[in-house]
Amino acid sequence: MAGKRTRNAVEGIDRKKAYSLDEAVEMVKARATAKFDETVEVAMNLGVDPRHADQMVRGVVELPNGTGRDVRVAVFAKGDKAEEAKKAGADLVGAEDLVETVQKGEIDFDRCIATPDMMALVGRLGKVLGPRGLMPNPRVGTVTPDVAAAVAAAKGGAVEFRVEKAGIVHAGVGKASFDAKALEENIRAFTSAVSRAKPSGAKGTYLKRIAISSTMGPGVKVDLASLGEA
């Protein structure tokens, strides 16, 4: 049986209705009543089957108002590039030593960046970093010679996205403490980026459903038309 908090959170939400973005954001913020600053998350159901290479959806988007969380960044680099990464604010910087640390299961970071010359080394970590969505990839700007810019982007609110088996993309796009306008801008930026990442093999309706929620709160469906994505 649902607890009192859950019942109160769901109250007033029509599960069958899709609300305008501003209505949905206000409903999510009003129900984020946990004792911590809940993350606001977007979940998008896409008309793709990611088992096919031409239907894979992935990319990166810089949220205009950041994510509201402290992102720890690891950089695989040597020499001058390692120094650039440190000056840019990377939390962990290394080469063979950092590979050894990760192989031990010590993964104290949220984003991972590598210079192109380090990928032969970093490739050994595929089985460790891959399942966690941390493997550096040139398509999302995390394999790059410009490590300073990549670190700044990661720290400033760049969010990676990748479609999962069921055709769902989800990501945190801010905190419940953000004002409604900031959340709306972030959500629009994220959904627009996913829309632009439509793969060549996608058939029929690409954007099927979008819902937003807070960490502990219920999902609220968003009317695609209110996002300009219908």
Side-chain angles (χ1 to χ4, degrees):
M1 192 168 171
K4 184 179 178 183
R5 186 180 177 283
T6 304
R7 289 198 303 274
N8 289 343
V10 173
E11 194 173 323
I13 297 175
D14 182 345
R15 291 304 183 97
K16 294 178 182 177
K17 180 180 176 180
Y19 294 87
S20 64
L21 180 59
D22 58 340
E23 284 181 304
V25 167
E26 289 295 352
M27 293 171 92
V28 166
K29 281 174 62 64
R31 288 160 176 77
T33 56
K35 292 179 181 177
F36 62 94
D37 192 4
E38 297 181 47
T39 296
V40 174
E41 300 171 355
V42 176
M44 304 176 68
N45 292 70
L46 308 179
V48 297
D49 182 349
R51 291 175 298 180
H52 301 288
D54 65 348
Q55 293 188 47
M56 172 52 70
V57 179
R58 74 179 302 173
V60 64
V61 57
E62 288 197 34
L63 300 179
N65 301 297
T67 61
R69 61 188 285 252
D70 181 25
V71 179
R72 289 184 59 80
V73 180
V75 178
F76 289 92
K78 286 182 174 179
D80 292 345
K81 293 298 178 184
E83 289 306 311
E84 284 177 27
K86 289 174 185 174
K87 286 179 182 176
D91 300 277
L92 296 165
V93 181
E96 287 85 355
D97 55 334
L98 187 52
V99 169
E100 286 180 19
T101 298
V102 173
Q103 284 176 328
K104 290 176 189 171
E106 297 174 26
I107 303 174
D108 187 23
F109 51 86
D110 309 296
R111 292 289 294 279
C112 186
I113 295 161
T115 53
D117 60 304
M118 294 298 294
M119 284 310 292
L121 194 63
V122 179
R124 300 178 199 165
L125 302 173
K127 289 182 179 178
V128 182
L129 297 178
R132 293 175 169 83
L134 292 171
M135 193 66 183
N137 187 299
R139 287 181 60 188
V140 294
T142 47
V143 177
T144 174
D146 193 352
V147 290
V151 170
K155 290 279 188 181
V159 172
E160 284 186 47
F161 57 86
R162 179 173 181 161
V163 68
E164 297 174 355
K165 287 179 183 177
I168 297 171
V169 168
H170 63 84
V173 291
K175 294 290 185 178
S177 60
F178 282 21
D179 67 42
K181 186 171 181 288
L183 283 172
E184 288 172 31
E185 288 175 352
N186 279 3
I187 291 166
R188 287 184 190 280
F190 181 78
T191 55
S192 181
V194 173
S195 183
R196 290 194 304 272
K198 181 179 179 179
S200 59
K203 301 290 189 290
T205 304
Y206 175 55
L207 300 180
K208 290 186 168 183
R209 284 184 302 280
I210 296 176
I212 61 174
S213 64
S214 63
T215 307
M216 305 294 286
V220 180
K221 290 179 183 175
V222 179
D223 181 8
L224 289 166
S226 72
L227 289 161
E229 301 290 350

